[in-house]
Each structure stands twice: as C-alpha cells, then as structure tokens.
Amino acid sequence: MRPDIMSVDWEAKKAADIASAKRVDIEDGENVFERLGKMDTSKVEDLNIDTQTDYYLNGLHMPNLKSITMRGCVKRVQLNDKLTPKLTYINFGETRGLVDIDIECSHLTSAHFEFLECDGRRLNKMFQVATKLDSVKAYKLWFQGPLHFASP
C-alpha cells in the first residue's frame, strides 16, 4: 500500500455512522430496544419505527429528538419533557391494538394519528400539557370520552 493513501475500515465506519445517526429508521424484523441500545440516542433527532414485532418505548432519554413516527405493533409509549425536551412532532400510523400512551411534552406542535386506539384520559393529558399544539390530524382514532385541548 502506498504511504500517502489511508486504509479505511468501511465496516467500522458504517457502524460508527449508525451509532451516531441523527435520523434512525427501524424496520420490520429489528428489535427496537436492541437497535437503540447500540447507539448514542442523545444525537437522534428523527426516529421512525415501522415493525410488526411488539415494542415499548419506556424511559428512553433522547434529549434532541424532534420528531417520532411509530407504526405497527407499538404497545406502550412514554415521552415527556425530561426524556424528550425538544419533541415537536408525533405520528402514530397504522398501529395494531390498544396503545398505552403516556405522553406529556409541552413543546409538541403537531400530532398525527391514524388507526390508533388508546385511553381517552391519557390522550387528554397529552393535549392538556401540549400548550403549543397547533395541528392535530386524525383518521380512525378510537378512544372513549370527549377531547379537551389546552387553552392558548
């Protein structure tokens, strides 16, 4: 090898890129916690999960997360200002079954729900805390009781 040319360990570079990614896409067949456990979640800004395997997002600290999209078999989601202080956008798309949501993010500005079944009291708690919420889109959102949004 010529001394003026550096050798590159492409596998190590790819692993490092994945470990420090700002955008993370987790697809069917991947274990959500295993994948997130292998990376520095403090750098993640955009998280997209689309899997038919049951998964839970409990107590995962992602201080720079701005956007999260969850599709498939999400069972429980816990997000709040301590865990995700910069979260502004949340999207539940085509979820399967009842989802236990525990979301209290005051900086949330946009929420999108498609095929989501959840506890209406928890949904109202999310809306009460999200005082900056200016956009809600819903298609086939199932819950019991009326919705109450925070006053501006």
Side-chain angles (χ1 to χ4, degrees):
M1 176 164 51
R2 292 179 21 199
D4 61 330
I5 298 178
M6 285 181 40
S7 119
V8 175
D9 181 348
W10 291 107
E11 289 300 316
K13 182 178 180 341
K14 181 180 176 185
D17 288 347
I18 289 172
S20 65
K22 288 186 176 184
R23 178 184 168 95
V24 177
D25 296 306
I26 300 175
E27 298 176 353
D28 207 17
E30 291 185 83
N31 181 304
V32 174
F33 264 110
E34 187 176 298
R35 171 79 184 277
L36 293 173
K38 292 180 181 177
M39 60 188 321
D40 179 1
T41 57
S42 70
K43 295 182 168 111
V44 177
E45 294 179 5
D46 186 19
L47 178 61
N48 299 292
I49 303 170
D50 187 356
T51 181
Q52 298 309 310
T53 306
D54 290 355
Y55 64 95
Y56 303 80
L57 290 177
N58 290 329
L60 192 58
H61 187 241
M62 293 183 282
N64 289 304
L65 187 69
K66 296 175 184 173
S67 168
I68 186 168
T69 297
M70 294 165 280
R71 289 186 172 81
C73 295
V74 59
K75 296 299 176 193
R76 178 161 175 28
V77 178
Q78 178 190 29
L79 303 168
N80 57 46
D81 285 342
K82 186 175 180 180
L83 297 171
T84 54
K86 295 182 180 179
L87 187 65
T88 59
Y89 176 78
I90 191 164
N91 180 352
F92 285 93
E94 299 179 26
T95 58
R96 308 280 187 268
L98 183 66
V99 180
D100 180 11
I101 62 170
D102 182 6
I103 302 171
E104 297 181 21
C105 298
S106 63
H107 299 287
L108 201 61
T109 59
S110 183
H112 182 209
F113 308 101
E114 187 175 327
F115 294 98
L116 174 68
E117 181 182 357
C118 63
D119 183 322
R121 294 170 298 194
R122 295 276 182 111
L123 192 60
N124 277 322
K125 180 69 173 173
M126 181 184 87
F127 289 144
Q128 290 296 308
V129 171
T131 57
K132 297 176 183 175
L133 193 64
D134 63 11
S135 173
V136 175
K137 294 180 183 176
Y139 176 72
K140 295 197 176 185
L141 173 61
W142 296 286
F143 60 91
Q144 288 196 358
L147 286 180
H148 302 282
F149 294 89
S151 299

